[in-house]
Amino acid sequence: MGKRKIIYTLLIIISALSGFTIHKDSLDNGLAIFSSEAHKIPMVEIRLVVKAGSILDPTGKEGLANLTAQMLLRGTTIHSGNEFLEEIEYLGANINVQVDEDYAVISARVLSKDLEKILALIAECVQKPAFKVEELKRLQRQIYSQLLSQNDDPFYAGMVAFRKLLFGRHPLNHEPLGFDSTVSQITIDDVNQFFTTYYLPNNAFIVTVGDFILDSLRVIIERYFAAWVRKPLPVFHCPLLKLTGKKAWLIKRDISQSYIFLGFLGPDYRVPDWIPTRIMNYILGGSGLTSRLATEIREKRGLAYSIFSYFERFTQGGYFLTTVQTRNESANEAVELILQEIQRIGNDIKEEELNRAKRFYTGNFPLNFDTYREMANFITRLEIEGLGLDYGERFERLINEVKIEDVQKVAKKYLQLNDFCLVVVGNIDESEIKVEDLEWLK
């Protein structure tokens, strides 16, 4: 064995809530390694995460990050696509690739005895991809068909329209799949260029959770990933533009229900007031049964079966969205009630509501780590969002420190009623929505 290239180890014990230990190491080439031993069953969950998400898609090439990631499992210089999948099947393992706005992740699950074999295959994907034109063309046709199918879904069509309306020309304006008009425009040279630029060890990390011996795991990862060459990364920074006014978009569909999407620009991962923001959303619409929106629109008036709201955050920005389905003739009443509750939450929060939200989060938090998969996903989020490996220990204290004035402050900060976007998919006319100063997209 050559000289060890693991340059440091940081041990954090998360005992109070999540109850597992996370070790952090890294290789000389910058590849970070997060690992947590657990020996309940002889299995390992693996994540190889590369910070190469759809926010990096160039204009006119929306969908490039997703295509690049999906191509990794479609053949290498050693194995064809079929041969590669046969190797996975032979192990009885599973492997898949997903892309979101900030990163691409290869996820795998394998029996402990085959850990080295699956890590070798994953290393092959990111260091020796074949990127054959015929595979790209086949993948483009599949994604194009998927996009056409999804566009028939009123909810998906509404989400696509909402992001276009809210983000304008900002690269968060699209889902990672891209647009049906852009996916077919991506070439194999685009894929190669994107891969060469962003698929680097100093832009990636590995998460392993399960039945392994830590020291042996480190040796295996070094064996297969130490040759991955570090390179300079381009700096990417794309701040959100300010949203001004009340923008609206009606998508006419001959359906009995209107799908309503109303939202605002939102915070990114770095904001210091994320915990009170989560609590504010829980009270407003995050709790499906007891939130204010559910109480007013579902329980009191029976306008919808469900209504909810949430924040979606990324490295370069985010958004808040509340969405509901209701009868076409009830669309305006639902919109007015949503705006009414958004206005109210900035001025009137009850101690009981705050305490209920705190009890939910502190009680629910430990339930998120029942499985190796959930533990691996949690560690991935810690690193992507920059929360710190001691976040589990700090979480309950952060929740309990929140006061009513903190919640009201973030409500006024992020939910400004003069600047929002509204999308309606349904069989109504613009004139039926009675909101002052609404500017409809023509």
Side-chain angles (χ1 to χ4, degrees):
M1 181 62 60
K3 181 182 177 182
R4 293 285 299 273
K5 294 187 175 61
I6 298 169
I7 58 175
Y8 68 89
T9 298
L10 172 65
L11 171 65
I12 296 292
I13 298 177
I14 301 176
S15 57
L17 290 172
S18 51
F20 61 93
T21 303
I22 305 170
H23 300 261
K24 180 179 180 182
D25 306 310
S26 68
L27 301 186
D28 275 350
N29 60 12
L31 180 68
I33 306 162
F34 298 89
S35 50
S36 182
E37 285 186 60
H39 301 285
K40 286 190 295 187
I41 49 178
M43 187 186 79
V44 182
E45 280 281 343
I46 303 157
R47 306 283 183 271
L48 175 64
V49 182
V50 183
K51 296 171 185 174
S54 61
I55 196 167
L56 299 171
D57 288 343
T59 301
K61 303 284 184 180
E62 288 85 355
L64 174 58
N66 180 59
L67 274 175
T68 303
Q70 300 298 333
M71 285 291 289
L72 297 177
L73 300 187
R74 294 192 171 230
T76 68
T77 56
I78 298 173
H79 295 97
S80 69
N82 286 336
E83 290 170 345
F84 185 87
L85 294 178
E86 286 173 3
E87 290 285 326
I88 299 295
E89 286 185 358
Y90 180 76
L91 299 177
N94 61 47
I95 189 169
N96 63 73
V97 174
Q98 290 180 303
V99 175
D100 82 356
E101 285 75 359
D102 290 316
Y103 63 91
V105 56
I106 300 176
S107 302
R109 180 187 302 170
V110 69
L111 291 175
S112 308
K113 66 183 180 63
D114 295 321
L115 176 59
E116 178 166 357
K117 294 174 183 173
I118 198 79
L119 283 171
L121 288 169
I122 293 173
E124 187 180 313
C125 287
V126 294
Q127 295 177 71
K128 300 176 181 177
F131 290 148
K132 293 187 175 178
V133 173
E134 58 270 27
E135 287 290 346
L136 176 65
K137 296 295 184 188
R138 189 177 297 116
L139 181 59
Q140 285 173 307
R141 289 194 294 272
Q142 293 170 353
I143 293 175
Y144 182 77
S145 297
Q146 182 182 352
L147 284 167
L148 292 186
S149 175
Q150 290 183 169
N151 285 337
D152 289 336
D153 177 357
F155 184 83
Y156 185 82
M159 279 301 306
V160 170
F162 174 75
R163 291 185 65 153
K164 282 185 179 178
L165 189 62
L166 183 69
F167 291 110
R169 298 180 65 83
H170 189 278
L172 285 175
N173 65 0
H174 63 284
E175 299 286 333
L177 277 181
F179 301 125
D180 57 287
S181 60
T182 59
V183 166
S184 60
Q185 304 302 313
I186 295 168
T187 68
I188 200 69
D189 289 340
D190 295 326
V191 171
N192 269 304
Q193 179 65 39
F194 190 88
F195 175 82
T196 304
T197 304
Y198 297 110
Y199 279 73
L200 305 172
N202 45 313
N203 194 37
F205 62 91
I206 293 180
V207 176
T208 53
V209 175
D211 182 40
F212 53 80
I213 303 300
L214 184 61
D215 191 56
S216 298
L217 173 72
R218 293 168 174 162
V219 172
I220 295 170
I221 290 177
E222 182 183 355
R223 181 178 299 149
Y224 293 101
F225 289 90
W228 197 3
V229 178
R230 179 189 188 114
K231 296 178 185 175
L233 266 169
V235 176
F236 180 81
H237 182 55
C238 191
L240 296 177
L241 297 175
K242 181 174 171 55
L243 176 66
T244 56
K246 304 171 185 176
K247 315 291 185 187
W249 189 347
L250 174 64
I251 300 175
K252 291 279 283 188
R253 292 278 176 93
D254 187 16
I255 50 181
S256 59
Q257 296 260 316
S258 284
Y259 292 67
I260 296 169
F261 306 81
L262 192 153
F264 307 79
L265 293 174
D268 60 30
Y269 291 141
R270 296 163 296 183
V271 296
D273 52 13
W274 174 234
I275 294 294
T277 303
R278 287 185 73 179
I279 288 179
M280 182 272 290
N281 179 62
Y282 182 87
I283 297 169
L284 176 62
S287 169
L289 296 178
T290 63
S291 71
R292 290 183 176 187
L293 289 172
T295 300
E296 289 297 322
I297 293 178
R298 180 181 188 273
E299 297 299 323
K300 289 185 178 178
R301 293 170 173 79
L303 297 181
Y305 179 74
S306 70
I307 178 170
F308 57 90
S309 66
Y310 61 91
F311 281 88
E312 192 74 69
R313 296 187 305 153
F314 312 107
T315 55
Q316 304 286 329
Y319 63 84
F320 166 87
L321 176 65
T322 182
T323 181
V324 63
Q325 299 171 40
T326 187
R327 292 176 292 122
N328 287 321
E329 53 269 33
S330 304
N332 180 63
E333 184 178 1
V335 171
E336 289 182 340
L337 287 168
I338 291 169
L339 294 173
Q340 171 187 302
E341 290 305 318
I342 288 174
Q343 182 172 35
R344 190 163 74 91
I345 199 165
N347 302 298
D348 175 27
I349 292 177
K350 304 287 189 298
E351 194 73 37
E352 179 187 343
E353 293 176 307
L354 177 63
N355 291 334
R356 186 167 63 236
K358 289 181 176 180
R359 285 196 299 272
F360 170 78
Y361 280 120
T362 54
N364 179 261
F365 188 69
L367 304 180
N368 293 310
F369 319 111
D370 283 349
T371 66
Y372 293 173
R373 174 185 297 176
E374 290 172 342
M375 292 162 68
N377 291 340
F378 175 67
I379 296 170
T380 299
R381 299 307 302 179
L382 292 182
E383 176 63 8
I384 287 292
E385 298 185 22
L387 296 171
L389 297 184
D390 62 342
Y391 182 70
E393 284 190 327
R394 293 185 289 113
F395 183 77
E396 185 168 343
R397 175 177 58 79
L398 293 171
I399 289 289
N400 287 328
E401 286 176 350
V402 174
K403 299 179 176 61
I404 285 179
E405 50 266 35
D406 300 326
V407 180
Q408 291 175 326
K409 184 177 179 181
V410 296
K412 292 174 180 174
K413 177 181 176 181
Y414 294 121
L415 311 181
Q416 298 186 8
L417 286 173
N418 289 324
D419 306 306
F420 66 81
C421 287
L422 171 68
V423 171
V424 181
V425 184
N427 193 13
I428 67 170
D429 294 325
E430 295 172 2
S431 59
E432 295 178 56
I433 303 298
K434 310 293 186 186
V435 177
E436 288 186 1
D437 302 324
L438 207 53
E439 179 186 349
W440 290 95
L441 182 72
K442 302 298 182 185

